[in-house]
């Protein structure tokens, strides 16, 4: 090989003197080998991790494949805490319904199940709030109908009855109430007990109508009309006659409470209508009839809203159909009996008969009994040795 004389001859003397060239090359090759080894190791690690991840995913899908798939359920409920509903009655008065919770089933989109519902309503314009509360029930928000029932499956000590309290002093307790909030009426097919101006009444079923002022007790009822001396004195005024004589509220035999029973009773203000198998008892006196109307003194209550009344003494009783009045001294029968308290008179008409313990009997078509003087006046026949001279009841025959 010949050398080009024109090219400069490179000398490695300087590099050799410094010890740079050969060692540098050797170090570079060693670093490259180490880098290659690291890359290979990382590649193996990545492949291993990928395999492990694939194995984990396969295991997950295999173990989860037998689980039930949850689909949308159209019957799933929606629960609300402390809901509040509101509306207005047919006469534009507000009412409000609250509860601890409300659950709506999607299959019944207009109705919710309530826990501890409380209905607040205004009975009359200007009146204070009245309330109905219960342990549970349902509410139809479209038709504004609240259906309340006592949970009879609970122990009696844990039951929350349906309770109605009105601003005018009535309190009713029952186990069922269907409240038509817009129409302001309540019906129930379970027994009820009410306490108010009319006294204490029990019924096996009931209706409350006309702004919650008309109470109807059905399927058998019984009640007590208590004597309220303050109301009686303030409402009945001065009697027309016999003012010096202390007369009972019923006018017959005493000052005790009046016990009534019938198939049905309707209380509207101071008027009580009894229908079917009517029995009215006060102390030693009893009246029987098919139907009866009891009228009581009444007056507006100045301390309450319009429509609130105070009831006083019984002022008139009208008994129709198979009338019978029984006391210790007399057994009087007829078709109709009318008692007028202000006159202290009981008038019996129709086919009238009177039987007394001493053996006296009276037959007539009209009889008038004075409850103060205890005198019977009639036109007809009296048979018996004591006619007209009985020590207890004087019989006067009028021509």
């Amino acid at each position: 090989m010949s050398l080009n004389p024109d090219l400069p001859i490179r000398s490695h003397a300087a590099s050799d003197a410094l010890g740079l060239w050969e060692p540098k090359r050797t170090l570079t090759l060693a670093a490259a080998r180490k880098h290659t080894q690291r890359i290979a190791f990382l590649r193996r690690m990545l492949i291993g991790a990928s395999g492990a991840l694939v194995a984990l995913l396969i295991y997950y899908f295999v173990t989860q494949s037998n689980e039930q798939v949850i689909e949308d359920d159209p019957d799933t409920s929606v629960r609300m805490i402390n809901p509040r509903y509101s509306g207005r009655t047919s006469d534009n008065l507000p009412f409000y319904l609250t509860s601890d919770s409300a659950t709506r089933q999607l299959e019944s989109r207009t109705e919710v199940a309530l826990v501890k519902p409380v209905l607040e309503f205004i009975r009359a314009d200007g009146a204070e709030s009245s309330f109905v509360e219960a342990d549970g029930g349902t509410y139809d928000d479209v038709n504004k109908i609240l259906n309340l029932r006592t949970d009879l499956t609970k122990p009696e000590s844990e039951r929350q009855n349906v309770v109605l309290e009105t601003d005018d002093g009535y309190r009713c307790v029952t186990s069922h109430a269907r409240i038509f909030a817009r129409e302001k009426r309540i019906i129930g097919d379970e027994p009820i007990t009410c306490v108010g101006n009319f006294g204490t009444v029990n019924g096996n079923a009931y209706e409350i109508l006309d702004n919650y002022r008309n109470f109807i007790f059905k399927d058998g009822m019984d009640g007590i009309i208590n004597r309220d001396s303050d109301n009686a004195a303030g409402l009945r005024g001065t009697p027309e006659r016999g003012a010096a004589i202390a007369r009972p509220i019923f006018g017959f035999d005493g000052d005790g409470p009046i016990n009534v029973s019938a198939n049905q009773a309707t209380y509207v203000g101071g008027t009580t209508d009894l229908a079917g198998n009517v029995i009215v008892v006060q102390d030693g006196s009893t009246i029987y009839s098919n139907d009866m109307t009891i009228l009581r003194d009444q007056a507006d209550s100045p301390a309450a809203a319009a429509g609130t009344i105070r009831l006083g003494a019984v002022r008139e009783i009208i008994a129709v159909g198979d009338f019978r009045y029984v006391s210790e001294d007399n057994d009087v029968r007829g078709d109709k009996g009318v008692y007028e308290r202000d006159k202290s008179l009981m008038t019996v008409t129709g086919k009238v008969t009177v039987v007394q313990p001493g053996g006296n009997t009276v037959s007539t078509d009209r009889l008038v009994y004075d409850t103060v003087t205890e005198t019977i006046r009639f036109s007809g026949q009296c048979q018996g040795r004591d006619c007209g001279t009985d020590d207890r009841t004087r019989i006067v025959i009028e021509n």
Side-chain angles (χ1 to χ4, degrees), residues 75-356:
D75 296 331
T76 299
S77 60
V78 178
R79 187 167 182 264
M80 297 169 283
I81 302 299
N82 297 324
R84 178 182 174 88
Y85 302 89
S86 62
R88 289 196 170 266
T89 61
S90 56
D91 53 355
N92 204 36
L93 294 175
F95 64 86
Y96 307 97
L97 175 63
T98 59
S99 67
D100 287 358
S101 67
T103 303
R104 186 187 301 276
Q105 295 289 339
L106 297 184
E107 63 183 2
S108 179
R109 297 180 180 272
T110 65
E111 192 173 85
V112 293
L114 304 176
V115 175
K116 301 289 185 182
V118 178
L119 175 66
E120 178 184 357
F121 62 90
I122 305 299
R123 183 186 55 82
D125 192 19
E128 298 293 330
S129 293
S130 299
F131 296 90
V132 181
E133 60 182 18
D135 191 47
T138 60
Y139 180 58
D140 183 342
D141 191 29
V142 174
N143 298 302
K144 310 301 181 186
I145 299 175
L146 178 61
N147 195 47
L148 304 175
R149 280 193 184 274
T150 299
D151 188 354
L152 299 179
T153 62
K154 291 184 177 180
E156 188 172 353
S157 60
E158 299 178 10
R159 294 175 191 169
Q160 170 64 51
N161 288 320
V162 181
V163 179
L164 164 67
E165 292 185 347
T166 65
D167 66 287
D168 54 346
Y170 290 93
R171 187 177 193 274
C172 299
V173 179
T174 181
S175 56
H176 172 245
R178 185 170 176 83
I179 304 172
F180 298 81
R182 185 178 290 145
E183 293 84 0
K184 300 170 73 172
R185 64 187 180 95
I186 306 175
I187 62 174
D189 56 13
E190 296 289 342
I192 188 173
T193 297
C194 288
V195 178
N197 269 333
F198 48 52
T200 301
V201 183
N202 304 301
N204 291 317
Y206 67 95
E207 294 183 39
I208 303 176
L209 312 173
D210 188 25
N211 288 4
Y212 309 104
R213 293 178 298 189
N214 183 349
F215 292 76
I216 303 173
F217 300 91
K218 304 185 297 183
D219 299 341
M221 60 75 58
D222 61 83
I224 299 174
I225 301 176
N226 292 310
R227 178 181 176 87
D228 187 337
S229 58
D230 294 335
N231 277 354
L235 298 178
R236 68 172 174 251
T238 303
E240 292 186 2
R241 66 190 193 89
I245 300 176
R247 292 172 295 171
I249 186 173
F250 208 166
F252 296 146
D253 258 6
D255 292 335
I258 302 172
N259 294 272
V260 302
S261 64
N263 293 344
Q264 179 171 308
T266 302
Y267 293 82
V268 183
T271 301
T272 300
D273 289 318
L274 305 174
N277 299 314
V278 180
I279 302 175
V280 178
V281 180
Q282 186 192 29
D283 294 336
S285 300
T286 304
I287 291 180
Y288 304 87
S289 68
N290 294 337
D291 301 296
M292 181 181 294
T293 297
I294 300 175
L295 303 175
R296 297 178 65 180
D297 292 327
Q298 69 179 63
D300 292 336
S301 179
T308 301
I309 61 173
R310 293 182 300 121
L311 297 180
V314 172
R315 61 181 174 84
E316 186 173 3
I317 297 175
I318 304 169
V320 179
D322 293 330
F323 171 83
R324 185 182 181 188
Y325 165 64
V326 180
S327 68
E328 182 181 355
D329 303 322
N330 298 283
D331 186 345
V332 182
R333 301 174 186 243
D335 296 333
K336 178 180 179 181
V338 177
Y339 167 66
E340 299 170 277
R341 186 179 190 281
D342 58 345
K343 299 177 181 178
S344 299
L345 297 179
M346 181 175 65
T347 302
V348 184
T349 57
K351 189 177 180 180
V352 182
T353 61
V354 180
V355 177
Q356 295 182 326

Side-chain angles (χ1 to χ4, degrees), residues 24-75:
K24 181 69 175 178
R25 183 169 177 269
T26 303
L27 289 173
T28 300
L29 290 174
R33 291 190 188 98
K34 289 182 179 181
H35 178 71
T36 300
Q37 292 173 354
R38 285 196 299 268
I39 294 299
F41 176 75
L42 291 175
R43 185 182 293 115
R44 288 193 295 270
M45 289 291 295
L46 181 59
I47 293 172
S50 299
L53 179 60
V54 170
L56 179 63
L57 291 174
I58 293 173
Y59 173 77
Y60 175 79
F61 285 117
V62 169
T63 56
Q64 297 296 317
S65 60
N66 293 328
E67 289 191 0
Q68 183 178 0
V69 178
I70 300 176
E71 300 178 352
D72 290 338
D73 183 359
D75 296 331

